[in-house]
Amino acid sequence: MSNMELACQNVVEEPTEANLVRLLDLWSADWKHQGRTRVVGPGAFEKYCTLGFFGHGGVCGVSIATSKRTACTAVNRFLKSRFPNGTWTSIAVLFNPRMGLHRDIQNMPGHLNHALALGDYTGGRVWIEDDKGDSTALLAGKGGDRELRGRWLDMHDKPVSFNARRYHMVEPHQGSMWALAAYVPQAYARSTEQHREALREAGFPLPV
């Protein structure tokens, strides 16, 4: 059994933070998006991968990384253990993200983002827009800055579900941080049964 196969098996049998970090450290060596910027909102990261369904412009489908079915199933197994009632079609996986204030308007309305972060790091909380929040953030606009209300949440192996079509950002961190966000893009409305079958086989808990 290879190191990768063993890492996948360990996550499925025991979905702990340490086991998933080990799997992501191994798997990410093969990812093509290394150090690319501005793929997800304003910001940057050292490594990035989309698992599951994607939509870019008029093109949609199942990502190449999803063909690593054993690894994809293991990531879904971990997320299902943290979000047992959640549904999603896609997972953004980022290593050392630096994410400024943004919103994901390509997410399908009515479906929450399910996010958490893993690794050996400090900082890295998520700020989520909330009209009743006790914290503020400034949104720069052509007509001047606008103050938004929100709240800071610790997501270090602590599940956070929120509406990502509202503004959010990630606090700067120190150390090695893996961030995962499971979501449903609007493009999923154009999915075919073939797409959905591939997603089910990779362990995605699809919305009805």
Side-chain angles (χ1 to χ4, degrees):
M1 183 179 291
S2 70
N3 288 341
M4 184 71 177
E5 289 169 334
L6 181 59
C8 292
Q9 180 179 311
N10 287 342
V11 172
V12 170
E13 293 179 355
E14 194 175 351
T16 64
E17 175 182 18
N19 281 344
L20 187 60
V21 166
R22 171 67 174 156
L23 169 57
L24 294 175
D25 285 345
L26 286 169
W27 191 10
S28 61
D30 297 332
W31 295 353
K32 68 176 183 177
H33 295 318
Q34 307 277 347
R36 189 169 166 186
T37 60
R38 300 188 67 83
V39 171
V40 184
F45 45 81
E46 292 180 24
K47 298 178 183 180
Y48 170 84
C49 187
T50 298
L51 307 180
F53 199 79
F54 72 90
H56 293 299
V59 179
C60 63
V62 176
S63 74
I64 293 172
T66 312
S67 64
K68 292 266 191 183
R69 193 179 301 169
T70 306
C72 207
T73 299
V75 174
N76 274 308
R77 165 78 173 96
F78 178 90
L79 288 174
K80 287 176 189 175
S81 75
R82 297 329 194 247
F83 302 97
N85 299 315
T87 58
W88 55 85
T89 66
S90 315
I91 305 167
V93 186
L94 304 95
F95 183 62
N96 285 340
R98 295 179 291 282
M99 308 287 288
L101 191 65
H102 70 287
R103 55 183 175 172
D104 299 313
I105 59 173
Q106 296 303 321
N107 282 24
M108 190 176 285
H111 293 271
L112 297 176
N113 255 36
H114 305 291
L116 49 70
L118 309 169
D120 183 11
Y121 70 92
T122 56
R125 294 177 301 166
V126 62
W127 185 92
I128 297 169
E129 185 182 2
D130 181 343
D131 298 337
K132 298 179 180 178
D134 57 4
S135 173
T136 59
L138 288 180
L139 175 65
K142 293 179 181 177
D145 292 347
R146 180 160 65 93
E147 187 176 84
L148 302 176
R149 297 201 70 80
R151 55 198 169 103
W152 287 103
L153 294 172
D154 177 12
M155 61 174 180
H156 194 163
D157 202 9
K158 293 176 181 172
V160 176
S161 298
F162 65 100
N163 177 7
R165 291 174 63 87
R166 300 199 75 182
Y167 283 98
H168 54 284
M169 61 182 169
V170 177
E171 177 185 43
H173 72 280
Q174 296 78 42
S176 298
M177 174 182 175
W178 283 103
L180 295 91
Y183 62 100
V184 180
Q186 290 193 55
Y188 184 64
R190 305 199 306 273
S191 65
T192 65
E193 181 53 38
Q194 186 177 7
H195 291 144
R196 293 188 290 274
E197 183 59 28
L199 294 171
R200 281 190 287 266
E201 289 176 356
F204 285 86
L206 303 181
V208 177

